[in-house]
Amino acid sequence: MILSDIRNLARYEGVAPALGAAIRWLIEHESDAFVKGETAVEFPGGEFVVKCEEPAMMPRERVALEAHRRFIDIHVPLKGVEGIGWAPVEGLKHPHGEYDAERDIRFFGDVSDSILHVHPGQAVVFFPEDAHAPNIGLGNHRKLCIKIPVI
């Protein structure tokens, strides 16, 4: 997991080619006026998906941890501070159902080890080994969720 100001994310471009492409795109488009919906962004060797969402936030105890196997997520608050729970997948003991391969997601009933408070101008990167519980807080907010294939 990486929590960083967007302007400092460039130092992590070399971690994976697809992640580097998504970071460069985010830095170039940070000040865009995003519209709710999904956009596929092509880069040499593949594509990633940018989702602009306006979810309702919920109390910590109502948000389940989730983990992905095929994607890296970058969460970017656009309006409002987003609380996001975090825990290492390898330590989770209470899965809610089986892994859904079509949606690339598995939920867990474990409690988050940590809560991150991610502000506009910041981004958090979750790798497949990072379970995360997004949208913790009160009210609604706007955010980007960038889905990057693990290549």
Side-chain angles (χ1 to χ4, degrees):
M1 185 268 308
I2 299 168
L3 173 62
S4 176
D5 286 345
I6 291 170
R7 67 180 178 268
N8 294 328
L9 277 177
R11 72 180 64 218
Y12 302 104
E13 286 183 22
V15 171
L19 178 61
I23 288 170
R24 286 188 298 280
W25 181 90
L26 178 58
I27 291 169
E28 291 170 10
H29 295 274
E30 176 185 6
S31 61
D32 288 4
F34 294 101
V35 177
K36 188 175 177 182
E38 287 187 24
T39 304
V41 178
E42 292 186 24
F43 67 94
E47 75 174 28
F48 56 87
V49 175
V50 179
K51 297 179 180 183
C52 182
E53 305 170 335
E54 297 177 356
M57 292 199 279
M58 295 181 279
R60 177 182 183 178
E61 58 275 0
R62 290 190 50 214
V63 181
L65 285 163
E66 63 184 58
H68 312 291
R69 295 180 184 173
R70 297 188 327 262
F71 290 92
I72 297 167
D73 280 1
I74 302 179
H75 291 247
V76 185
L78 301 173
K79 177 185 171 198
V81 176
E82 179 180 13
I84 305 176
W86 173 87
V89 171
E90 66 187 26
L92 300 178
K93 296 180 178 21
H94 304 286
H96 285 175
E98 297 297 318
Y99 170 71
D100 182 336
E102 184 176 319
R103 294 177 49 217
D104 184 42
I105 197 164
R106 187 169 197 187
F107 292 100
F108 296 88
D110 301 70
V111 175
S112 304
D113 286 2
S114 303
I115 299 290
L116 309 169
H117 298 281
V118 189
H119 298 259
Q122 297 179 326
V124 62
V125 181
F126 295 107
F127 296 93
E129 61 270 18
D130 299 311
H132 51 286
N135 306 315
I136 295 173
L138 300 173
N140 293 318
H141 71 126
R142 293 188 78 233
K143 69 184 279 185
L144 297 179
C145 181
I146 303 172
K147 304 291 285 182
I148 305 153
V150 176
I151 297 175

